[in-house]
Amino acid sequence: MKQSDYVLLMKRYIFLCFGLALMALGIGFSVKAKLGTSPISSLPYVVSLFSPLTLGQATIAMHCVLISMQIALLRRRFEPVQLAQLPIGIMFGYMIDAGLWALGWIDCSAYWQLWLLVAAGIIFLGIGVAFAVASGAVPLAGEGAVVAVCRVLHVSFPRTKIIFDASLAMSAVLLSFAVAGKIEGVREGTLAAALCVGLMVKAANKFVVPMAKRFIA
């Protein structure tokens, strides 16, 4: 690999890390809102409530499961470069815990204030996803798992992504109800995130994609 290729790769991962940091803050805001996390974080959040794991550690564990699922589905078609999802997932997990720590001072109780936190979470998460996708680097394990299912079953990505997110949210509901007898982590804020994060990504792409083209060149 040429030196220029290493520089290009480094720029991609710098862009990705910035996106992950924004996503971690978005998840932190959604947790502080107490109106339900985003669908992708709902299951790790519930696990963190009923186990010694932090949200970041539970997210790392989920990433390990999803990477294993990709390997099982794709077998020989699994590309070794996709193993980079593991260190990225570990870093993302610690970023989430760091984001929660940084937002620890937030203590809102009024319902309208909680919705402001939900909105902040959607904005940060959407912009972060836009940066992560525009980086062209290895995806997070969640997206990687969806791509693996699409390759094996020959189905479309958008529909599979919706089913995947809904499955995580439903798993979170079932787990929380089984353990605590009530629903935790999945509320109206989860629905808002499911409906609005994609729209935020689309809006953010208008400035993130040109920025990526200038930075990653």
Side-chain angles (χ1 to χ4, degrees):
M1 186 180 291
K2 299 178 181 178
Q3 184 176 0
S4 58
D5 294 331
Y6 281 113
V7 172
L8 179 61
L9 188 64
M10 185 178 299
K11 287 183 176 181
R12 289 189 184 279
Y13 279 93
I14 290 173
F15 215 74
L16 172 65
C17 288
F18 184 72
L20 295 180
L22 293 177
M23 291 169 63
L25 280 175
I27 292 171
F29 275 114
S30 70
V31 170
K32 299 300 290 186
K34 303 174 185 177
L35 294 180
T37 64
S38 61
I40 192 68
S41 297
S42 58
L43 184 55
Y45 177 71
V46 171
V47 170
S48 72
L49 292 178
F50 307 121
S51 74
L53 300 177
T54 65
L55 176 55
Q57 291 168 343
T59 300
I60 293 170
M62 186 181 76
H63 277 235
C64 292
V65 172
L66 292 175
I67 293 170
S68 299
M69 186 182 83
Q70 293 175 54
I71 295 173
L73 285 172
L74 296 175
R75 299 182 182 181
R76 293 182 179 179
R77 287 186 291 172
F78 182 82
E79 300 170 352
V81 68
Q82 296 301 323
L83 289 174
Q85 292 176 28
L86 181 57
I88 290 172
I90 292 173
M91 179 175 62
F92 184 48
Y94 283 110
M95 282 182 173
I96 290 174
D97 285 343
L100 286 171
W101 174 82
L103 299 176
W105 56 273
I106 296 178
D107 185 18
C108 299
S109 56
Y111 192 62
W112 66 270
Q113 293 175 327
L114 301 183
W115 271 107
L116 288 180
L117 295 178
V118 170
I122 290 171
I123 291 171
F124 274 93
L125 191 55
I127 297 175
V129 170
F131 269 89
V133 173
S135 72
V138 173
L140 286 172
E143 283 67 34
V146 174
V147 170
V149 171
C150 292
R151 290 180 63 184
V152 172
L153 299 181
H154 305 289
V155 291
S156 66
F157 182 89
R159 180 178 298 179
T160 307
K161 184 67 167 64
I162 292 173
I163 294 173
F164 176 77
D165 287 349
S167 298
L168 288 177
M170 183 56 65
S171 298
V173 168
L174 294 175
L175 178 61
S176 63
F177 194 77
V179 175
K182 60 181 180 179
I183 297 175
E184 297 280 0
V186 180
R187 287 186 54 182
E188 56 267 41
T190 305
L191 179 60
L195 295 175
C196 299
V197 169
L199 297 176
M200 190 65 229
V201 173
K202 186 176 181 180
N205 278 335
K206 294 179 180 180
F207 67 87
V208 172
V209 172
M211 190 185 304
K213 290 180 178 179
R214 290 194 300 270
F215 182 74
I216 308 170

